[in-house]
Amino acid sequence: MKVLYSGFADPSHSAFGGYHNIFNFPACEKILLSHNYFLGKLNRKYRLRRIPLGLLDLDTRRQRHKYDITHLFYGEITMIPFLPYPKDAKHKTVITLHLDIEKQRFHKIFLKNLKSFDGIIVLSTQQQEYYRSKHGIETTFIPHGFNTPIFNFKLPQDTHSNSIDQSRINLITSGKNYRDFETLIKVADHFKDDNRLIFHMVGTPGDIKLRLAAFPNVRIYPRIDNDEYYSLIKSCDYGFLPVTFATANNALLEAQAIGIKSILPRIPGILDYASEANIFYHDYTDLINIISSLKKSSISEDILSHSHKFHWDNIYTRLNEYYTELLSK
């Protein structure tokens, strides 16, 4: 079996958290990444970013027949939505979907052409049910992989040169996709006079940083490296992940890989990955009651053990079975 992977390495993900680790699959024969094409190193916020993504997709279509499997591993971002992938009896095409598709431009056209793929992978059971019930599209749930991070312990300082205070109860929130920042800000405001609690913010959008900076119990960090990031997670008592939507959430996988408990909404997507040893809330009142009763925490062996099921080697085994089944059809 020879596999061609097409996609990109997301710079916002930590070294161990990116889905691009899929291309360490043993049968990977070639990798096409968008940053190797014209304008490929542009920041994603620029519309010209569509140029290297389009060139990547066109080149993928040109080269795919040399391989048994072609896998677009960030498919809804890199595929030109107007162009289906024609089927070929000697070659199979696979796409992985990560995002809330209804928030994507041209999603109706994309959904129509999605049916041209031989295999469609989603990262949560909720998405699997969504595509089946709403669009009549069959998909396969194969989880996101995540390896145990290897890092040198090196604690960062926040934007005011403060180091973590281990006498407090420390909660860390990282990332921005689908984050429920309004709830986060309400929580920080509610507990602003509670000297027991400190909220640590990593990878927070600029406008949210400005609003959170008003609270004395919030620590905001500049961009930090992998060693600093994982050291900070390990030094916190809890992850705090208010989100409105999830397929695979890297912040949750990162915390679990280190054995840190997270405070999580009980929503689909989160439940596909979260150990029951985490703490779950149903609504805002429930969340306030949970945070009010927190105590200092330590590494959870149950969470560490649970995280092993998502190691990339286990995901590669499932991918191999999936590819093999596709090729037999």
Side-chain angles (χ1 to χ4, degrees):
M1 182 193 307
K2 297 192 297 182
V3 181
L4 169 67
Y5 285 110
S6 174
F8 57 85
D10 191 334
S12 66
H13 290 161
S14 65
F16 298 91
Y19 196 75
H20 62 270
N21 283 287
I22 193 173
F23 57 55
N24 290 317
F25 178 73
C28 173
E29 190 78 11
K30 188 167 185 176
I31 308 151
L32 300 176
L33 297 174
S34 62
H35 72 256
N36 292 322
Y37 294 83
F38 178 63
L39 299 179
K41 293 182 172 59
L42 272 181
N43 190 296
R44 284 186 299 169
K45 68 181 181 181
Y46 296 114
R47 289 190 178 183
L48 288 175
R49 179 76 175 119
R50 291 305 315 174
I51 293 175
L53 292 174
L55 292 173
L56 166 69
D57 192 45
L58 292 173
D59 197 28
T60 302
R61 295 166 190 268
R62 181 181 67 85
Q63 296 199 42
R64 70 188 181 103
H65 298 287
K66 303 175 187 176
Y67 306 91
D68 302 305
I69 298 278
T70 292
H71 189 157
L72 279 62
F73 62 89
Y74 275 113
E76 71 271 65
I77 300 173
T78 63
M79 177 188 168
I80 298 171
F82 309 99
L83 298 178
Y85 268 70
K87 290 186 182 294
D88 182 334
K90 297 181 180 179
H91 172 84
K92 302 295 182 181
T93 54
V94 176
I95 188 169
T96 296
L97 305 174
H98 296 250
L99 305 175
D100 182 349
I101 197 62
E102 293 188 1
K103 289 185 168 58
Q104 297 293 104
R105 293 183 68 193
F106 310 118
H107 73 274
K108 292 182 179 179
I109 297 170
F110 176 81
L111 285 166
K112 178 182 177 182
N113 290 326
L114 186 59
K115 297 178 182 180
S116 68
F117 284 89
D118 299 290
I120 304 168
I121 294 173
V122 291
L123 301 179
S124 77
T125 54
Q126 182 267 342
Q127 286 297 93
Q128 186 177 35
E129 175 57 26
Y130 163 81
Y131 282 105
R132 177 188 297 121
S133 62
K134 188 160 185 178
H135 301 290
I137 297 173
E138 290 301 320
T139 65
T140 301
F141 168 49
I142 298 178
H144 191 305
F146 193 94
N147 289 335
T148 302
I150 301 169
F151 60 97
N152 297 311
F153 192 82
K154 182 178 70 171
L155 279 173
Q157 293 183 327
D158 70 7
T159 53
H160 295 293
S161 300
N162 295 310
S163 297
I164 191 169
D165 182 350
Q166 295 288 11
S167 68
R168 310 279 191 96
I169 298 172
N170 294 285
L171 300 90
I172 181 170
T173 300
S174 61
K176 60 183 181 180
N177 281 348
Y178 306 113
R179 299 301 187 264
D180 187 356
F181 285 119
E182 293 306 316
T183 293
L184 176 61
I185 290 166
K186 283 176 64 178
V187 168
D189 188 24
H190 183 91
F191 290 102
K192 65 185 176 186
D193 297 320
D194 188 337
N195 291 326
R196 301 176 311 123
L197 301 168
I198 297 292
F199 297 88
H200 300 264
M201 303 290 146
V202 180
T204 311
D207 59 327
I208 304 300
K209 286 181 184 179
L210 290 174
R211 295 172 67 185
L212 288 169
F215 302 119
N217 56 348
V218 173
R219 303 286 182 265
I220 299 170
Y221 291 82
R223 186 169 184 84
I224 55 180
D225 64 28
N226 277 284
D227 288 343
E228 293 172 318
Y229 179 56
Y230 286 111
S231 298
L232 183 60
I233 296 175
K234 187 173 183 179
S235 299
C236 286
D237 298 281
Y238 302 93
F240 177 31
L241 191 59
V243 291
T244 57
F245 173 86
T247 53
N249 189 286
N250 277 279
L252 170 59
L253 292 169
E254 289 160 352
Q256 290 191 152
I258 297 177
I260 301 298
K261 287 185 180 180
S262 292
I263 302 166
L264 306 162
R266 191 175 281 278
I267 62 172
I270 290 292
L271 298 179
D272 287 318
Y273 293 88
S275 163
E276 282 299 320
N278 290 297
I279 303 169
F280 300 90
Y281 64 90
H282 294 280
D283 54 30
Y284 181 73
T285 300
D286 193 22
L287 175 59
I288 293 300
N289 290 335
I290 286 169
I291 295 178
S292 296
S293 63
L294 290 178
K295 294 180 171 56
K296 291 289 289 181
S297 187
S298 58
I299 300 296
S300 166
E301 293 300 327
D302 287 342
I303 289 177
L304 275 176
S305 177
H306 178 82
S307 73
H308 295 161
K309 69 188 290 186
F310 302 110
H311 282 182
W312 271 110
D313 281 346
N314 294 328
I315 306 304
Y316 296 148
T317 298
R318 294 183 64 169
L319 282 169
N320 186 68
E321 293 169 352
Y322 182 67
Y323 294 154
T324 301
E325 182 180 353
L326 280 181
L327 290 171
S328 69
K329 292 179 179 179

